Amino acid sequence: MPTITLTLPKPHACQRQIADCQVRFVVVGCGRRFGKSIVGRSKIILSALERPAPYAIVVPTYFDTLQTWEYLVDKLQLLTRQVAKSVYRIELVNGSTVSLFSADAVDRMRGSAFAGVLIDEAAVIANLDYTWTRVIMPTLADLSGWCWFLSSF
């Protein structure tokens, strides 16, 4: 099997502190232009490559999904087995999946199990307490999944 080189953005020193964090639940509040989304997307990608399992990214609105989707499709193109744009899910050659959800339709996650979830711009999500406790947190139980909450102040 040929070797595939994946190039991800190199994290700066403060991003590296976040990326190296080994706790299950991480809450990050940083200013704009810090690069939270980039370090979060890298976390999802690297996790999906290291541990074949389902992963998810939750963004505040459907509009926010489009930018994240394009980034993932571009970065993962050489590692992709199947792309299902209609449900925003990418299946990798190792069996991992990365799915995108908008918080305004987060109930689509119900019944799923994830090894990791990235919540991008968490503070902007309406009803985050409901979204976390009633929808996202139960999806992490089966696989003892992790969750990162990333947001601006």
Side-chain angles (χ1 to χ4, degrees), residues 47-110:
S47 295
L49 295 175
E50 291 170 8
R51 178 184 177 198
Y55 295 87
I57 299 174
V58 178
V59 294
T61 67
Y62 175 77
F63 177 78
D64 301 312
T65 306
L66 301 176
Q67 183 181 12
T68 303
W69 176 254
E70 289 173 3
Y71 180 89
L72 292 173
V73 168
D74 178 59
K75 288 294 180 189
L76 295 171
Q77 65 184 345
L78 297 176
L79 301 166
T80 298
R81 177 180 295 152
Q82 183 178 33
V83 173
K85 186 173 182 181
S86 62
V87 291
Y88 288 108
R89 185 178 60 244
I90 299 169
E91 181 183 352
L92 303 181
V93 294
N94 71 350
S96 283
T97 59
V98 178
S99 300
L100 282 117
F101 299 91
S102 64
D104 49 12
V106 76
D107 285 319
R108 281 190 330 122
M109 293 179 78
R110 289 183 181 274

Side-chain angles (χ1 to χ4, degrees), residues 32-45:
R32 290 182 172 180
R33 311 305 304 157
F34 175 87
K36 300 173 296 298
S37 297
I38 297 299
V39 73
R41 292 170 187 169
S42 293
K43 168 72 171 175
I44 286 282
I45 290 169

